[in-house]
Amino acid sequence: MKSALARHLLFVLCSAFALVATLGLGACGAQQEAGSIRIGTMPTEDILPMWVAEQEGLFDEAGVKAEIIVFDSAQSLSAALTAGEVDIAMTDPMRAVKLCESGTDLTLEWITLGTTPDQGRFGVLTFADSGITSLADLANGTKGVGLAANTVPEYVFEQLCVQQGIDPASIPVSEVASLPDRYGLVASGQLDAAALPASMLALGQASGLVLLADDASGDNVSQSVMVVRTAYDTGEGAKTLDAVRTVWDEAASQINADPEKYRALLVEKANLNEQVASTYVMSEYPMARPAYPPAELIEPVLSWMSAKGYVTKSVSYDESDGSFTIS
C-alpha cells in the first residue's frame, strides 16, 4: 500500500512539474519567437513610427527586441548596412541600388514616406532678395543650385524642372554634400538656390527664404524606403521582420489617428528647429503591408540613375519581392 501510494504521489508530482515546465516554455516561446532586430536610420521624420513603437511598447507586445541605431550621415548608415551592423534601415532607392551594385544584397521592404506626393516633401529654396521667382530664372544664375549627386534632392530638382519644361542641364549647379552647409550657403546668398528636404524647407520659409517649387503635389517623385539585408531575411529573421511590419502598421495608425500626440517625440528625434517645432506639418504615414514598393515608383529612379551614369550596370526591379537584379 505504501509503495502504491508513493508511486501515485510521484506520478502526480511529475505531472505537475511537466505542466509547469510546458507552460513556462510556452510563455517563453511567445516572448522570444520573433527575436531581435537592429534598425538603422538617420534622424528624420521618415522613421517616426519606429520611435512611436519604442515609446508605446509595441515592440515588447510583439515579442521583438528592437534596437534603433541613429547615424549622423547617410555614408555611415550605408557602411553599417554593408558591415552587417544593422539588419534593416531607412534609406532611399538611390542608395539601396548603389549598395546592391557594390555587393551588399538588399531588398526594398516598404515605403516609409512617399506613397503620395504630400508625404516627405522636397523642394528648392532661394534667398529672400535674390530676384529669382521661378526655376526658369535659375538658368541665368551665377552661383548655382546647391545639391549632391545621386540623392533624392537632386532627383526631385531635376524632375521639377522637367515638369515645368526646363532642361535641368541649362541650370548651373554646385555640389554641396552637407545639408546644413547647403542651407547656410543659400540663406547667406552664396548660392542662387538649394535643393532641400522638408524640415529645411519649413525652416527656410519661416526665416524668410523663398520657395521656388516643391513636390508636395503633382507627380509623386520622392520616396524613402525600409530595406533589409537579404542575409537577415531568412528563418527567425523573416519572422522578426514580419512582426516589425505589424508593429510599424500599428504605430503608423496611431500617428495618423492623433498626430499631435507625437509632435514632441518628432521634434526630439528628428532634431526639428524650435522655430518650426509647433507648426511643422506632420506627415500621414503609409502602411508596411501588403508589401514592397511598386515598380511605377522605383523604375523611374533606375532610369534616371542610368541616364546620369550613377550606375554602371543594368539594374532591374521586381516588385513581387522588392529585389534588384544587377547584371
Side-chain angles (χ1 to χ4, degrees):
M1 288 291 294
K2 289 183 179 180
S3 177
L5 179 61
R7 286 197 300 272
H8 177 70
L9 288 174
L10 181 61
F11 173 79
V12 170
L13 286 172
C14 288
S15 297
F17 280 127
L19 178 61
V20 170
T22 300
L23 291 173
L25 287 172
C28 182
Q31 291 299 312
Q32 296 180 354
E33 181 181 0
S36 62
I37 193 166
R38 299 164 298 176
I39 305 166
T41 185
M42 298 277 286
T44 73
E45 63 181 304
D46 308 65
I47 202 73
L48 180 60
M50 294 287 86
W51 284 319
V52 169
E54 184 178 59
Q55 175 178 282
E56 301 294 343
L58 301 181
F59 287 120
D60 292 338
E61 291 178 10
V64 175
K65 182 180 179 182
E67 180 184 7
I68 302 174
I69 306 171
V70 180
F71 295 86
D72 59 6
S73 71
Q75 290 78 12
S76 58
L77 175 55
S78 293
L81 271 169
T82 299
E85 295 169 357
V86 295
D87 305 306
I88 68 173
M90 187 285 297
T91 186
D92 58 68
M94 296 83 166
R95 195 162 295 274
V97 170
K98 291 302 293 180
L99 284 166
C100 287
E101 187 183 38
S102 65
T104 301
D105 290 334
L106 303 171
T107 57
L108 308 189
E109 290 300 308
W110 67 86
I111 293 175
T112 54
L113 275 181
T115 55
T116 59
D118 59 327
Q119 295 176 356
R121 183 171 69 126
F122 287 83
V124 184
L125 288 176
T126 187
F127 56 99
D129 56 353
S130 67
I132 296 170
T133 60
S134 68
L135 293 179
D137 291 344
L138 293 171
N140 301 317
T142 58
K143 303 171 186 175
V145 177
L147 45 74
N150 197 25
T151 61
V152 174
E154 183 196 25
Y155 178 69
V156 170
F157 168 68
E158 293 203 0
Q159 299 311 303
L160 291 172
C161 287
V162 171
Q163 290 171 22
Q164 296 187 23
I166 303 165
D167 179 3
S170 69
I171 297 175
V173 299
S174 179
E175 178 77 17
V176 183
S178 165
L179 286 170
D181 288 351
R182 199 183 309 168
Y183 178 89
L185 289 170
V186 71
S188 62
Q190 297 179 68
L191 287 172
D192 292 323
L196 296 163
S199 58
M200 291 184 172
L201 295 180
L203 178 59
Q205 289 180 277
S207 303
L209 276 69
V210 178
L211 180 70
L212 297 177
D214 67 21
D215 67 343
S217 60
D219 294 340
N220 188 8
V221 296
S222 64
Q223 289 77 40
S224 57
V225 293
M226 191 71 77
V227 302
V228 62
R229 292 175 56 248
T230 304
Y232 176 82
D233 192 14
T234 58
E236 288 300 312
K239 294 180 182 178
T240 305
L241 183 61
D242 188 61
V244 171
R245 283 184 181 276
T246 301
V247 167
W248 173 280
D249 285 355
E250 175 59 29
S253 296
Q254 291 188 23
I255 297 167
N256 296 344
D258 187 5
E260 287 303 317
K261 179 180 179 181
Y262 301 105
R263 177 175 293 279
L265 182 63
L266 175 65
V267 170
E268 173 196 351
K269 296 295 189 178
N271 299 327
L272 290 184
N273 188 284
E274 62 180 11
Q275 195 171 345
V276 299
S278 63
T279 59
Y280 190 77
V281 177
M282 296 187 65
S283 289
E284 179 178 346
Y285 286 85
M287 299 296 108
R289 298 182 188 279
Y292 311 119
E296 66 183 29
L297 296 180
I298 303 302
E299 288 175 349
V301 176
L302 300 183
S303 296
W304 176 78
M305 292 179 70
S306 179
K308 297 284 289 187
Y310 292 147
V311 287
T312 58
K313 300 177 181 178
S314 175
V315 183
S316 61
Y317 173 70
D318 186 347
E319 67 177 10
S320 70
D321 61 4
S323 66
F324 293 108
T325 299
I326 299 176
S327 56

